[in-house]
Amino acid sequence: MIQVGFKSDKGIRRDNNEDACFIVPSEDVYIIADGVGGNNAGEIASRTAVAVAADYIRRNPVSAVKDGGEKALREYFSRCLTAVNTEVYALARRHEENRGMATTMVIAYLDGRTGYITNIGDSRAYVCRNGELICVTEDHTYVNELLHQGAISKEEAENHPKRNMLTRAIGGDAVANPDFFRVDLQTGDILMLCTDGLYSEVENKLAAEILMSAADMRDAAGKLVHAANRRGGSDNITVICLKI
């Protein structure tokens, strides 16, 4: 049994919402995307991405391949993101006003108490367990690469002027290169998917407190977005909360 809550908000300082989210309940698949690009192109990129992903999943059910285990699921979601990337990449080149558009994407598939996560960009997946929030995914950003190389400290990374510069994204290149993770979940765990508009405003400790104290996951999603807006709301905010 999975309890689900989700919310998307444009934030306080943005005129439109370039985030998108989608749920495929029949397949236990949950999707978030965060578009980038001027002239509303980011909005087009994120909505196209989730629409293509959802259509792919409906036409090619995950349930048909899950018995093949982790390898089969990794290949499945790689094909899914390839289809998404091909469409967004082509769209960016078909119309001059869309040139340069791209989007992050994080997808979670739950098979019982096992979560399979695929991501590209800096939208994240977290697991909240025993009051602690643990990040599952790795950001595909210029600053994260510098951090791994030891060129900058964690504190410098948090305030770096190029902290939002993506090194990988859907539509950014002709070929997508997503990461894939497996997480073993326990009863009471909460899997949270979100865009950077949430985690850049709400620190892990507070997010975990909200998740643990919320009446249900719908309440949790609403309170997380509210907390991000109270702390600045400088970007669009989208979150999906899944309690095992």
Side-chain angles (χ1 to χ4, degrees), residues 140-161:
H140 302 136
T141 60
Y142 171 68
V143 163
N144 203 39
E145 287 189 1
L146 291 178
L147 193 60
H148 281 305
Q149 292 164 9
I152 59 173
S153 68
K154 192 173 180 182
E155 291 70 30
E156 287 171 324
E158 288 173 359
N159 299 300
H160 199 282

Side-chain angles (χ1 to χ4, degrees), residues 115-179:
Y116 298 94
I117 316 291
T118 188
N119 82 299
I120 185 165
D122 64 353
S123 291
R124 294 180 180 176
Y126 290 87
V127 172
C128 184
R129 178 179 295 165
N130 300 326
E132 184 181 4
L133 201 63
I134 305 149
C135 191
V136 175
T137 51
E138 280 277 352
D139 291 349
H140 302 136
T141 60
Y142 171 68
V143 163
N144 203 39
E145 287 189 1
L146 291 178
L147 193 60
H148 281 305
Q149 292 164 9
I152 59 173
S153 68
K154 192 173 180 182
E155 291 70 30
E156 287 171 324
E158 288 173 359
N159 299 300
H160 199 282
K162 294 184 178 179
R163 62 186 177 278
N164 296 320
M165 182 184 289
L166 300 174
T167 53
R168 286 191 241 167
I170 292 288
D173 293 295
V175 179
N177 184 22
D179 284 342

Side-chain angles (χ1 to χ4, degrees), residues 208-231:
E209 287 173 1
I210 291 170
L211 288 167
M212 297 299 289
S213 63
D216 53 36
M217 290 301 95
R218 183 179 176 184
D219 181 48
K223 285 179 175 175
L224 285 165
V225 168
H226 180 66
N229 277 327
R230 284 191 64 186
R231 280 158 180 74

Side-chain angles (χ1 to χ4, degrees), residues 70-90:
E70 185 175 333
K71 183 175 184 290
L73 287 166
R74 180 189 291 267
E75 291 170 354
Y76 173 90
F77 282 108
S78 178
R79 290 191 299 270
C80 177
L81 263 69
T82 293
V84 173
N85 189 75
T86 299
E87 182 63 28
V88 175
Y89 186 78

Side-chain angles (χ1 to χ4, degrees), residues 6 19-24 28-34 46-58 77 80-81 84 103-109 118 123 193-195 238-240 242:
F6 59 92
D19 287 358
C21 66
F22 201 88
I23 292 171
V24 188
D28 285 320
V29 175
Y30 308 86
I31 309 167
I32 279 181
D34 177 1
S46 62
R47 278 153 181 71
T48 300
V50 297
V52 173
D55 182 61
Y56 181 93
I57 292 159
R58 279 193 288 257
F77 282 108
C80 177
L81 263 69
V84 173
T103 184
T104 72
M105 184 165 256
V106 57
I107 301 178
Y109 163 60
T118 188
S123 291
L193 310 181
C194 66
T195 58
T238 301
V239 59
I240 299 177
L242 309 164

